[in-house]
């Protein structure tokens, strides 16, 4: 007889399950955690390699030389930006046209659900300017995008200038097989979102934009530039995009290959690579880099302007120049050459990047952990749920056995009616829905009654609804469990993550600063969901919070 | 003293007499060598099987062999060039209309007068085998046919991506070594070649000639089974590898060869040893009847015409007599001394009945074919141009 159809063996198996349930669960949990943390240990990782054949092994000698001209252009751009008090649209249009691009503009506007205190904006109106470099001999079926944001103040002037210098250099070459779009977007992510929606004829976030007059083919890859100083000491690669989506690993490999070729110092998560993997510091460094990537993906926010491209299956990454007052400096010409090399390799592509991994973790720029290696850790954690469910099921079946065995001592406990079970479930989910919908809708009412700003109103309403869900008649005997439950609730998890994140980026904060950060995280989450369609806030409010509330209910079940 | 004088005089006379003999022996040897290969025309089938920009080097390989072969005398009408992709006009080529084989753009193998017979998606396994075996539809133009006969020496050069026992065509299909061996056997049975030199430059190329079983085949490959053929130099302006190592050194070797060169196959076997090529080139000569040392490079790579001067008259009329006799008897209407029609017009127009129709045996056996009770026909000589489509009954050829 089979294992599960033989009653003796089945009883033995279920007995094992019920007896050893807690130890097995603990072992699984610890194994999952150890497995995950062990992934950062270098011998367990693989070296990155270029998977795409078309991007091959031969590098081209880069000839870009107008780095200095780009820097002087940056000053000009800055002056015009100040004069225009925003995006100098006419100057940009003229600059791009004089470089031989087909220039178009797109205006957009968006009213945020509540004011954004981090970026100080509420009613956003802006213009995107983009120029298309048509491939001289190729049909206009595919395109590459290089984008630089136009930010207020002193930031990203050099990025826009380098973009224009590259455009001029690229215009003189004849080996382009794809059109290249040079995009300067205003209001960073909002501008990019408007442009992408206009390009792909969608409207998923309620943005108002003018339709795009000029178009190239389907976009194969995109690069976003962020450069704020004339002299750069290192280049940081930002991969995490909206909802934790990552570009194809080949894009990171391409960046790393060119960093090595040109001798530029390259970092990921702002951390340099270390060579001493067998020491404790080396291991913690790699583990920190990996955990930072996990946290950044978990928060669902797009960490660079490239993040919104990923939704349209366009592989994109952001390259950020960092000036950290190191001795060894890189000039703008080398960065231009790095970008030239990357774009030239992307030009050789015949299909979209698909050969390498889409799900991975990078403990450093030259080592990666693919999903096949880190999923078992989560699998082990998920097995605990399965074991617990099996345990409950076996116990549910056990009273029936007791009744069959012999004299029934007490009357069989009456099976709970559907209504008694359904009510807490429905109430939990309704609370979740309330947590999702009400903060934004009730902000006017809150502002009327309380002396708070709109943003604070939204955040505080959310916290209020969250805490209201805890209002159940509680048993003081279960106070310990109650405290543990509260400490493991989603809100507190987010609070811990905030502190851990600050620790990992080596900028630890005090408790009060952490609390303020936590509040801003909540408001940013709601805004990200409203503006770009990030799914973290709905996931937390509609699924995780109700589940936690139901556990809270069970804890105090009488 | 007299005796000694006589002896020396005899020796001297003997020497004088033997010199012309030695000289004529020498001339005979030379003449014998000159006619030893037995071929009268040369063909070349050069195939590049891979497409895409990063396979630039395969096109450059094929074009460099094409260039050598043309330089040594084989005309375009006798070369079937198959290129699976167009590198010269690829959008990514920073020097359009050129294909370079040496870095720093030293040698443009594309040139001005390249004639590509099969291009792009026409390069398929089916077309390649049809070219080899001659089974092409009647509408195929002459430039796309391998019109070789039993006195042709054929050079076949293949390059691309390959593996153990196969060669990849165009990223979508493969030709196996058995198929290739069978195609060569078909060629042998149809007397489509005198001798055939097969060169392949792919990874694990030696596996492609393992299965040959037809006579008069010599094969060279750039690497053994389990080895990869490596590419030679990248060009930093174009951004691709320009040539494969084996063909690069083959090209360098061939650049030294001129039409009167006496270099033989043993020199060709020495091209690109492992120290230069990293892979081990291999060759196979067991099916070849002549000694490779006596086979000249120009026997396959060039088109050295052999001229035989004769002072006797040759009687051509004797074999015509039986035909002329037969044409006098009865109502047989045949046309002698004509070329074969491309289409079976004669059949349709004359509407002959089968037993009145004179049929030549097309099987190359020694037996005569009995046509009518009293007449036997000798096996025909193969005419110069025969339409080999099997759709209609073979007509008798003249002569």
């Amino acid at each position: 007889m089979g294992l599960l159809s033989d009653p003796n063996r089945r009883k033995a198996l279920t007995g094992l399950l019920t007896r050893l349930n807690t130890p097995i669960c603990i072992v699984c949990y610890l194994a999952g955690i150890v497995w995950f943390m062990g992934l950062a240990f270098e011998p367990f990782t693989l070296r990155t390699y270029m998977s795409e054949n078309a991007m091959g092994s031969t590098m081209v000698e880069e000839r870009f030389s107008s780095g200095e001209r780009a820097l002087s252009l940056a000053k000009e751009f800055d002056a015009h930006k100040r004069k225009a008090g925003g995006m100098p649209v006419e100057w940009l249009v003229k600059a791009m046209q004089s470089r031989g691009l087909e220039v178009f503009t797109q205006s957009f506007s968006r009213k945020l659900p509540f004011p954004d205190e981090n970026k100080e904006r509420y009613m956003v109106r802006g213009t995107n300017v983009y120029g298309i470099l048509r491939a001289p001999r190729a049909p206009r079926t595919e395109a590459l995008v290089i984008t630089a944001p136009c930010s207020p103040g002193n930031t990203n002037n050099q990025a826009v200038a380098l973009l224009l210098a590259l455009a001029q250099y690229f215009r003189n070459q004849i080996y382009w097989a794809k059109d290249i779009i040079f995009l300067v977007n205003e209001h960073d992510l909002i501008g990019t979102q408007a442009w992408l929606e206009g390009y792909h004829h969608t409207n998923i976030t309620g943005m108002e934009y003018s339709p795009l007059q000029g178009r190239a083919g389907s976009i194969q890859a995109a690069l976003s530039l962020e450069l704020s100083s004339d002299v750069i000491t290192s280049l940081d690669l930002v991969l995490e995009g909206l909802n934790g989506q990552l570009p194809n690993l080949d894009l990171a490999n391409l960046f790393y290959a060119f960093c090595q070729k040109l001798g530029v110092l390259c970092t990921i998560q702002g951390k340099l690579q270390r060579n001493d993997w067998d020491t404790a510091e080396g291991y913690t460094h790699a583990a920190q880099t990996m955990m930072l990537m996990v946290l950044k993906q978990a928060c669902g926010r797009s960490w660079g302007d490239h993040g919104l491209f990923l939704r349209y299956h366009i592989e994109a990454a952001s390259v950020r120049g960092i000036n950290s007052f190191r001795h060894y400096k890189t000039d703008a010409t080398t960065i231009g050459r790095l970008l030239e090399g990357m774009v030239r390799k992307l030009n050789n592509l015949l299909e979209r990047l698909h050969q390498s991994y889409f799900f991975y973790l990078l403990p450093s720029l030259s080592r990666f952990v693919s999903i096949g290696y880190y999923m078992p850790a989560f699998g082990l954690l998920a097995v605990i749920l399965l074991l617990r469910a099996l345990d409950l099921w076996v116990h549910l079946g056990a009273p029936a056995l007791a009744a069959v065995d012999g004299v029934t001592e007490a009357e069989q406990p009456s099976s709970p009616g559907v209504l008694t079970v359904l009510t807490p479930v429905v109430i939990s989910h309704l609370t979740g829905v309330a947590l999702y919908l009400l903060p934004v809708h009730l902000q006017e009412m809150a502002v009327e009654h309380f002396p708070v700003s709109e943003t604070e109103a939204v955040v505080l309403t959310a916290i209020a609804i969250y805490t209201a869900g805890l209002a159940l008649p509680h048993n003081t005997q279960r106070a310990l469990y109650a405290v543990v439950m509260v400490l493991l609730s989603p809100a507190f998890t987010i609070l811990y993550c905030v502190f851990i994140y600050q620790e990992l980026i080596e900028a630890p904060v005090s408790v009060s600063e952490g609390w303020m950060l936590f509040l801003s995280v909540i408001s940013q989450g709601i805004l990200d969901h409203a503006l770009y369609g990030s799914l973290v806030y709905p996931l937390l409010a509609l699924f995780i919070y109700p589940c936690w509330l139901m556990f809270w209910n069970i804890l105090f079940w009488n | 003293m007299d005796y000694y004088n006589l002896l020396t005089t005899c020796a001297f006379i003997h020497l004088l007499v033997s010199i012309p003999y030695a000289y004529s022996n020498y001339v005979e040897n030379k003449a014998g060598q000159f006619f030893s290969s037995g071929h009268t025309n040369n063909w070349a089938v050069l195939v590049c099987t891979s497409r895409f920009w990063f396979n630039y080097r395969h096109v450059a390989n094929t074009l460099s062999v094409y260039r050598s072969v043309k330089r040594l005398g084989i005309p375009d009408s006798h070369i079937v060039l198959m290129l699976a992709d167009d590198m010269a006009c690829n959008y990514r080529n920073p020097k359009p209309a050129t294909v370079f084989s040496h870095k720093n753009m030293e040698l443009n193998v594309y040139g001005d007068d390249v004639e590509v017979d099969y291009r792009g998606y026409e390069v398929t396994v089916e077309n390649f085998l049809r070219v080899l075996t001659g089974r092409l539809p009647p509408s195929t133009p002459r430039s796309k046919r391998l019109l070789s006969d039993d006195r042709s020496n054929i050079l076949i050069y293949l390059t691309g991506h390959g593996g153990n026992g196969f060669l990849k065509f165009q990223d979508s299909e493969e030709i196996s070594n058995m198929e290739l061996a069978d195609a060569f056997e078909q060629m042998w049975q149809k007397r489509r070649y005198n001798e055939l030199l097969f060169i392949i430059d792919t990874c694990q190329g030696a596996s492609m000639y393992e299965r040959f079983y037809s006579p008069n085949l010599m094969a060279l490959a750039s690497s053994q089974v389990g080895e990869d053929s490596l590419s030679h130099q990248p060009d930093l302006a174009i951004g691709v590898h320009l040539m494969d190592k084996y063909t690069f050194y083959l090209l360098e070797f061939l650049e030294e060869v001129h039409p009167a060169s006496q270099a033989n196959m043993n020199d060709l076997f020495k091209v690109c040893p492992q120290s230069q090529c990293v892979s081990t080139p291999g060759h196979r000569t067991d099916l070849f009847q002549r000694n490779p040392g006596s086979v000249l490079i120009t026997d396959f790579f060039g088109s050295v015409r052999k001229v035989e001067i004769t002072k006797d008259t040759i009687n051509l009329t004797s074999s015509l007599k039986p035909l002329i006799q037969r044409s006098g008897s009865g109502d047989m209407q045949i046309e002698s001394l004509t070329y074969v029609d491309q289409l079976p017009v004669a059949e349709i127009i004359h509407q002959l009945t089968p037993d009145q129709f004179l049929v030549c045996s097309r099987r190359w056996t020694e037996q005569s074919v009995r046509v009518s009770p009293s007449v036997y026909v000798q096996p025909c000589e193969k005419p110069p141009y025969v339409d080999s489509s099997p759709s209609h009954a073979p007509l008798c050829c003249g002569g």
Side-chain angles (χ1 to χ4, degrees):
Chain A
M1 262 212 201
L3 189 66
L4 290 177
S5 47
D6 181 7
N8 288 333
R9 282 196 209 151
R10 185 160 58 178
K11 221 188 314 189
L13 206 64
T14 47
L16 197 76
L17 190 69
T18 43
R19 263 185 307 122
L20 293 180
N21 201 306
T22 321
I24 294 180
C25 287
I26 293 177
V27 164
C28 280
Y29 193 81
L30 288 175
I33 304 248
V34 167
W35 182 303
F36 193 75
M37 296 318 290
L39 288 172
F41 190 50
E42 193 159 302
F44 296 157
T45 58
L46 293 166
R47 192 170 278 283
T48 55
Y49 54 93
M50 196 71 98
S51 298
E52 173 68 57
N53 228 343
M55 292 210 294
S57 53
T58 43
M59 303 269 199
V60 186
E61 203 182 318
E62 294 88 11
R63 300 224 176 90
F64 180 74
S65 56
S66 12
E68 301 311 315
R69 216 170 334 148
L71 294 180
S72 55
L73 203 62
K75 294 186 182 50
E76 210 182 312
F77 176 67
D78 192 30
H80 279 96
K81 195 164 68 168
R82 279 178 216 283
K83 199 158 66 161
M87 176 104 134
V89 178
E90 293 86 19
W91 182 84
L92 267 176
V93 167
K94 231 187 322 202
M96 285 191 180
Q97 266 173 351
S98 69
R99 283 162 175 80
L101 309 179
E102 293 177 14
V103 192
F104 306 95
T105 59
Q106 179 204 27
S107 56
F108 59 91
S109 75
R110 179 78 157 105
K111 180 159 167 284
L112 272 63
F114 53 90
D116 182 355
E117 284 192 348
N118 286 14
K119 298 207 176 87
E120 283 156 22
R121 55 190 182 189
Y122 179 49
M123 180 71 199
V124 171
R125 232 178 235 118
T127 321
N128 291 330
V129 178
Y130 65 104
I132 306 180
L133 174 97
R134 298 288 183 194
R137 294 181 283 151
R140 298 170 180 192
T141 47
E142 293 172 349
L144 296 170
V145 174
I146 310 180
T147 165
C150 170
S151 318
N154 252 342
T155 41
N156 284 329
N157 296 330
Q158 284 81 0
V160 175
L162 191 60
L163 191 85
L164 292 171
L166 278 175
Q168 184 162 23
Y169 174 72
F170 285 171
R171 186 71 178 88
N172 292 329
Q173 313 303 322
I174 58 167
Y175 44 69
W176 298 115
K178 303 180 204 291
D179 294 343
I180 306 184
I181 304 178
F182 296 91
L183 168 68
V184 180
N185 52 320
E186 201 178 353
H187 299 296
D188 50 89
L189 284 171
I190 300 182
T192 318
Q193 181 69 23
W195 190 81
L196 280 169
E197 286 190 352
Y199 198 87
H200 293 97
H201 305 294
T202 60
N203 198 330
I204 37 183
T205 57
M207 181 114 46
E208 283 156 18
Y209 54 84
S210 62
L212 293 186
Q213 301 298 318
R215 214 175 168 281
S218 85
I219 304 177
Q220 306 288 298
L223 285 172
S224 172
L225 274 176
E226 289 175 32
L227 270 181
S228 303
S229 58
D230 282 355
V231 161
I232 298 289
T233 54
S234 62
L235 279 177
D236 195 40
L237 181 70
V238 183
L239 293 170
E240 299 84 9
L242 192 68
N243 293 329
Q245 199 173 353
L246 296 169
N248 199 293
L249 186 58
D250 264 340
L251 205 55
N253 298 339
L254 186 68
F255 177 75
Y256 183 60
F258 275 99
C259 283
Q260 280 191 306
K261 183 185 181 210
L262 294 170
V264 181
L265 206 58
C266 287
T267 62
I268 191 163
Q269 320 297 346
K271 289 189 189 293
L272 271 180
Q273 195 159 338
R274 287 172 71 127
N275 288 332
D276 52 345
W277 55 266
D278 43 355
T279 61
E281 291 91 22
Y283 170 73
T284 41
H285 187 87
Q288 280 173 354
T289 317
M290 201 173 75
M291 284 313 296
L292 262 178
M293 187 161 177
V294 170
L295 283 174
K296 283 189 177 177
Q297 281 188 276
C299 81
R301 200 181 129 217
S302 173
W303 289 83
D305 279 2
H306 69 286
L308 299 174
F309 284 87
L310 297 170
R311 204 212 309 255
Y312 299 92
H313 202 70
I314 301 169
E315 309 308 328
S318 281
V319 174
R320 193 174 287 158
I322 297 177
N323 188 2
S324 57
F325 308 106
R326 224 177 270 274
H327 189 67
Y328 181 74
K329 299 186 199 302
T330 316
D331 60 341
T333 310
T334 318
I335 299 178
R337 287 196 174 166
L338 190 137
L339 291 165
E340 177 199 349
M342 281 182 82
V343 174
R344 194 133 178 222
K345 281 261 177 196
L346 290 171
N347 180 44
N348 282 350
L349 282 179
L350 297 147
E351 314 158 295
R352 289 182 196 269
L353 285 168
H354 67 285
Q355 300 279 6
S356 191
Y357 300 93
F358 286 102
F359 297 97
Y360 50 88
L361 292 173
L362 295 176
S364 72
L365 208 50
S366 63
R367 300 241 152 209
F368 75 99
V369 177
S370 71
I371 187 169
Y373 286 95
Y374 69 69
M375 253 328 172
F378 297 122
L380 282 169
L381 294 179
V383 153
I384 299 174
L385 296 174
L386 186 67
L387 287 174
R388 275 289 180 221
L390 280 175
D391 187 37
L392 279 174
W393 189 55
V394 166
H395 279 310
L396 277 178
L401 289 172
V404 166
D405 268 352
V407 181
T408 56
E409 294 158 357
E411 47 181 59
Q412 219 174 1
S414 57
S415 57
V418 177
L419 221 57
T420 38
V421 171
L422 212 57
T423 319
V425 171
V426 169
I427 292 181
S428 306
H429 281 281
L430 282 179
T431 323
V433 170
L435 182 62
Y436 175 64
L437 289 176
L438 291 184
V440 176
H441 285 113
L442 291 186
Q443 54 173 315
E444 290 101 18
M445 209 163 69
V447 168
E448 273 173 30
H449 293 288
F450 299 98
V452 287
S453 69
E454 283 95 344
T455 322
E456 289 170 0
V458 169
V459 175
L460 293 174
T461 317
I463 296 180
I465 297 175
Y466 186 92
T467 333
L470 305 181
L472 278 173
H474 48 269
N475 217 332
T476 42
Q477 284 172 352
R478 307 236 188 138
L480 180 64
Y481 284 122
V483 169
V484 169
M485 274 297 281
V486 167
L487 286 177
L488 293 176
S489 65
F492 271 86
T493 316
I494 297 178
L495 191 63
Y496 304 146
C497 286
V498 168
F499 281 111
I500 293 173
Y501 177 75
Q502 290 297 127
E503 279 289 332
L504 288 175
I505 59 171
E506 289 158 25
V509 288
S510 64
V511 178
S512 57
E513 285 174 2
W515 175 254
M516 296 311 292
L517 266 179
F518 172 66
L519 296 178
S520 79
V521 157
I522 297 179
S523 71
Q524 288 295 314
I526 302 177
L527 270 178
D528 276 350
H529 171 64
L531 283 176
Y532 319 122
S534 159
L535 294 172
V536 175
Y537 183 67
L539 186 76
L540 279 173
L542 294 174
F543 291 106
I544 299 185
Y545 177 64
C547 289
W548 183 83
L549 258 191
M550 281 193 280
F551 275 124
W552 182 256
N553 245 304
I554 292 168
L555 194 62
F556 297 112
W557 192 272
N558 50 353
Chain B
M1 221 147 107
D2 272 341
Y3 179 68
Y4 285 128
N5 272 343
L6 191 63
L7 213 59
T8 44
T9 324
C10 275
F12 191 59
I13 290 167
H14 186 73
L15 205 67
L16 273 176
V17 167
S18 67
I19 285 172
Y21 270 131
Y23 184 66
S24 68
N25 267 342
Y26 168 73
V27 165
E28 225 173 273
N29 280 341
K30 259 315 222 177
Q33 232 180 18
F34 191 64
F35 295 118
S36 63
S37 71
H39 72 280
T40 58
N41 54 70
N42 285 80
W43 286 82
V45 178
L46 312 173
V47 184
C48 160
T49 59
S50 35
R51 51 173 42 238
F52 305 137
W53 174 244
F54 54 89
N55 289 322
Y56 184 100
R57 59 188 188 277
H58 296 138
V59 174
N61 287 350
T62 318
L63 284 173
S64 55
V65 176
Y66 172 79
R67 175 205 147 77
S68 306
V69 144
K70 240 173 107 159
R71 198 173 49 79
L72 290 172
I74 303 185
D76 273 314
S77 56
H78 283 232
I79 304 178
V80 177
L81 178 62
M82 303 171 85
L83 295 180
D85 200 1
D86 177 17
M87 295 305 163
C89 299
N90 194 309
Y91 319 127
R92 298 168 181 82
N93 194 348
K95 303 272 174 213
T98 60
V99 173
F100 291 107
S101 62
H102 288 62
K103 66 175 179 187
N104 302 325
M105 297 171 220
E106 283 169 18
L107 181 58
N108 175 15
V109 288
Y110 199 66
D112 291 337
D113 56 351
V114 169
E115 268 187 37
V116 183
D117 301 306
Y118 286 83
R119 65 191 69 220
Y121 287 108
E122 291 172 347
V123 178
T124 57
V125 174
E126 180 188 345
N127 282 348
F128 175 59
L129 291 176
R130 281 186 185 276
V131 163
L132 286 183
T133 55
R135 296 181 192 280
L136 288 160
S139 56
T140 316
R142 238 184 191 105
S143 60
K144 286 188 164 175
R145 288 178 186 263
L146 177 66
L147 297 166
S148 55
D149 54 27
D150 66 324
R151 290 276 145 249
S152 307
N153 273 12
I154 307 184
L155 164 71
I156 297 188
Y157 176 81
L158 293 174
T159 182
H161 288 288
N164 191 355
F166 67 91
L167 170 64
K168 180 174 83 157
F169 266 70
Q170 299 253 20
D171 234 20
S172 58
E173 49 181 4
E174 302 160 352
I175 185 173
S176 66
N177 48 8
M178 274 317 297
E179 285 176 343
L180 198 55
D182 288 340
F184 287 157
E185 175 64 14
Q186 281 192 50
M187 288 174 80
W188 174 252
Q189 288 190 5
K190 292 170 86 169
R191 296 290 186 269
R192 279 172 69 78
Y193 68 91
N194 172 40
E195 285 167 347
L196 197 146
L197 175 63
F198 174 76
I199 306 183
I200 184 161
D201 187 353
T202 64
C203 301
Q204 308 195 50
S207 63
M208 287 306 281
Y209 62 62
E210 274 173 1
R211 305 285 199 144
F212 291 171
Y213 54 95
S214 317
N216 286 353
L217 291 177
M218 188 177 340
L220 279 112
S222 60
S223 56
Q224 301 294 329
V225 174
E227 287 181 347
D228 287 338
S229 281
L230 302 176
S231 50
H232 186 58
Q233 315 158 317
D235 182 291
L236 294 176
I238 303 179
V240 283
H241 284 279
L242 293 179
M243 287 271 270
D244 280 329
K245 280 188 159 47
Y246 182 76
T247 312
F248 181 81
Y249 289 108
L250 181 69
L251 175 65
E252 279 198 353
F253 171 77
L254 288 174
E255 290 285 300
E256 314 269 308
V257 173
H258 54 87
S261 154
Q262 295 295 307
N264 57 42
M265 281 296 157
N266 282 337
D267 302 324
L268 191 60
F269 295 156
K270 291 197 203 106
V271 163
C272 209
Q274 196 181 7
S275 53
Q276 273 177 333
C277 255
V278 185
S279 58
T280 319
H283 57 267
R284 180 176 176 179
T285 51
D286 56 317
L287 294 166
F288 203 73
Q289 284 169 9
R290 293 194 284 152
N291 175 18
S294 67
V295 179
L296 298 177
I297 298 284
T298 51
D299 280 353
F300 288 102
F301 284 88
S303 186
V304 179
R305 299 278 172 187
K306 295 190 165 61
V307 175
E308 180 179 342
I309 301 172
T310 172
K311 294 205 176 110
D312 317 318
T313 52
I314 299 174
N315 193 355
L316 289 172
T317 56
S318 52
S319 53
L320 291 178
K321 282 194 192 122
L323 284 172
I324 294 167
Q325 274 169 6
R326 274 194 306 279
S327 66
S329 63
D331 43 337
M332 283 195 195
Q333 299 163 47
I334 40 161
E335 287 183 343
S336 54
L337 303 175
T338 55
Y339 285 110
V340 172
D341 288 327
Q342 291 277 36
L343 298 169
V345 172
E347 248 187 316
I348 298 164
I349 291 177
H350 299 299
Q351 290 179 353
L352 299 167
T353 58
D355 51 340
Q356 287 174 331
F357 197 73
L358 187 66
V359 172
C360 256
S361 166
R362 291 187 53 77
R363 280 185 298 278
W364 292 97
T365 57
E366 293 305 308
Q367 330 152 357
S368 314
V369 173
R370 185 182 154 125
V371 176
S372 70
S374 58
V375 177
Y376 283 82
V377 176
Q378 292 300 319
C380 297
E381 295 298 317
K382 189 163 170 27
Y385 299 105
V386 174
D387 179 12
S388 49
S389 104
S391 58
H392 60 275
L395 301 172
C396 185
C397 17

